Amino acid sequence: MSTTINPVQTPVEQAPAFKAKGKNAKKIADGFMKNAKKLTLEEAFMEQNAGMCYAASVKSPAVLKETVLRETALGNFDFVKGINEYLATTKAKNIYKK
């Protein structure tokens, strides 16, 4: 004698989206970025180069993803740009090798 279990479909409840007024969102963003330092072109290039070197040295995609999320949250977009550039050129080279 065998028994079967029929799956029961439960409705998926949607989570409410964050609804903030434009002024409140701007105040929050200004609070995070009020002490941000504007980089010169040389400093931005060095950050981008550091991102490329970091992406070349890290082999674990999970660690790299965590770093990208952290640096993006901190507003270090030049570092993330370097990581993205390295990954894009590496993937392009690997595609054409096949």
Side-chain angles (χ1 to χ4, degrees):
M1 177 178 216
S2 66
T3 59
T4 59
I5 299 174
N6 294 330
V8 177
Q9 291 186 353
T10 58
V12 177
E13 294 183 22
Q14 298 270 338
F18 175 72
K19 295 180 181 178
K21 298 201 183 234
K23 293 178 184 177
N24 292 339
K26 184 168 178 12
K27 284 181 186 177
I28 292 170
D30 289 342
F32 285 124
M33 301 303 275
K34 68 180 173 184
N35 296 328
K37 178 184 159 194
K38 195 75 170 166
L39 297 178
T40 64
L41 290 175
E42 292 84 14
E43 291 172 333
F45 178 74
M46 289 181 357
E47 281 293 320
Q48 186 174 352
N49 196 15
M52 292 175 76
C53 292
Y54 181 77
S57 66
V58 173
K59 299 299 177 195
S60 172
V63 172
L64 197 57
K65 179 181 177 182
E66 219 174 280
T67 303
V68 167
L69 291 174
R70 182 182 65 242
E71 294 296 329
T72 303
L74 293 173
N76 195 354
F77 299 115
D78 294 311
F79 188 82
V80 175
K81 184 178 177 184
I83 292 174
N84 288 337
E85 187 175 329
Y86 176 80
L87 293 177
T89 56
T90 303
K91 291 291 183 184
K93 287 178 186 177
N94 290 340
I95 288 172
Y96 290 112
K97 283 183 180 179
K98 292 181 181 180

